[in-house]
Amino acid sequence: MTKTVDTGSAAEYLPRALNLGALREAAAGCRACPLWRTATQTVFGEGLERADLMLVGEQPGDREDREGRPFVGPAGRLLDDALEAAEIDRTRAYVTNVVKHFKWQARGKRRIHQKPSWSELSACRPWLEAELRVVRPRALVLLGATAAQSLLGREFRVTRQRGELLDSDLAELVLATVHPSAILRAEDRESEFQAFVRDLKVVAAALRGRG
């Protein structure tokens, strides 16, 4: 059966078999919202199918859109550095985004990131919910306001509860912090980086303590 496009929900694209391979293959053909029209490709999550830690960002950026992998651009490199400083092995984690297509606006020859709308977040959420069901992480780290509000509600404010372990049914341990891209834009990048590392260490310590 031919699937309709721009339906407002990726639910009809979900495969019957819920495993990461099947999800990734199905997501490659997702047309649930208009973002697929200008993106190079779907950028699905990456990592262990049974990871203790899942990190969720907003959406792929320019580099991710071209390579088809999450967190491989400048923000991804900063995330790698922060995870290493917090003594977290990224290869043992699962990384993904709330939105799987790059939303951008042309500025000369550059493609500039645009924040996804609530309807685009809602359309893509079935993929993230499926990833959570498959991976079943013990710890979930939400990177930035968009990821946090998508899963914790539109009233959630990272600025108020950053770095705190939150009471949530999403995972045993849930924490929200800034997105690495915000650190790249900060005036005092080093201080913001160290604050980010401290947030990640909260999760690392909790995982060790409850392991």
Side-chain angles (χ1 to χ4, degrees):
M1 182 176 69
T2 302
K3 295 182 175 67
T4 54
V5 299
D6 301 351
T7 59
S9 176
E12 70 171 288
Y13 290 87
L14 294 178
R16 291 185 178 179
L18 280 188
N19 60 70
L20 291 182
L23 286 170
R24 186 174 291 107
E25 182 178 351
C30 186
R31 305 290 186 267
C33 81
L35 294 184
W36 67 273
R37 299 176 185 276
T38 53
T40 303
Q41 59 192 313
T42 302
V43 181
F44 205 70
E46 183 175 88
L48 296 178
E49 183 145 334
R50 288 287 185 268
D52 278 347
L53 173 64
M54 179 185 284
L55 300 128
V56 181
E58 178 187 279
Q59 66 167 320
D62 180 80
R63 180 80 174 272
E64 289 80 6
D65 176 66
R66 298 180 192 279
E67 294 192 20
R69 298 178 58 206
F71 287 97
V72 293
R77 290 193 293 272
L78 188 146
L79 176 62
D80 287 345
D81 291 342
L83 290 171
E84 183 177 0
E87 299 183 355
I88 296 173
D89 184 356
R90 173 168 167 168
T91 65
R92 305 295 300 172
Y94 185 85
V95 293
T96 191
N97 288 292
V98 177
V99 170
K100 311 303 189 194
H101 286 116
F102 179 36
K103 183 176 182 179
W104 57 277
Q105 184 178 48
R107 188 175 299 170
K109 293 183 178 180
R110 298 176 63 201
R111 300 192 302 171
I112 305 301
H113 157 277
Q114 282 194 304
K115 183 178 179 178
S117 67
W118 190 255
S119 63
E120 290 158 350
L121 291 169
S122 299
C124 210
R125 190 175 297 119
W127 295 119
L128 180 58
E129 291 172 346
E131 288 172 296
L132 282 165
R133 288 200 300 273
V134 171
V135 178
R136 291 185 292 178
R138 290 180 56 212
L140 177 66
V141 174
L142 305 172
L143 302 170
T146 299
Q149 290 176 2
S150 177
L151 288 174
L152 300 175
R154 299 176 79 165
E155 301 305 312
F156 184 86
R157 294 292 179 267
V158 173
T159 51
R160 295 177 193 162
Q161 293 183 273
R162 172 182 177 175
E164 298 178 14
L165 291 176
L166 305 167
D167 184 15
S168 172
D169 294 334
L170 293 169
E172 178 184 343
L173 303 165
V174 177
L175 179 143
T177 183
V178 298
H179 193 284
S181 62
I183 300 172
L184 294 175
R185 298 190 299 268
E187 290 186 12
D188 190 348
R189 188 181 297 184
E190 181 57 29
S191 293
E192 289 298 322
F193 177 80
Q194 293 303 328
F196 184 47
V197 172
R198 287 195 296 272
D199 293 343
L200 294 176
K201 283 183 175 180
V202 171
V203 172
L207 280 172
R208 288 194 296 269
R210 302 186 191 185

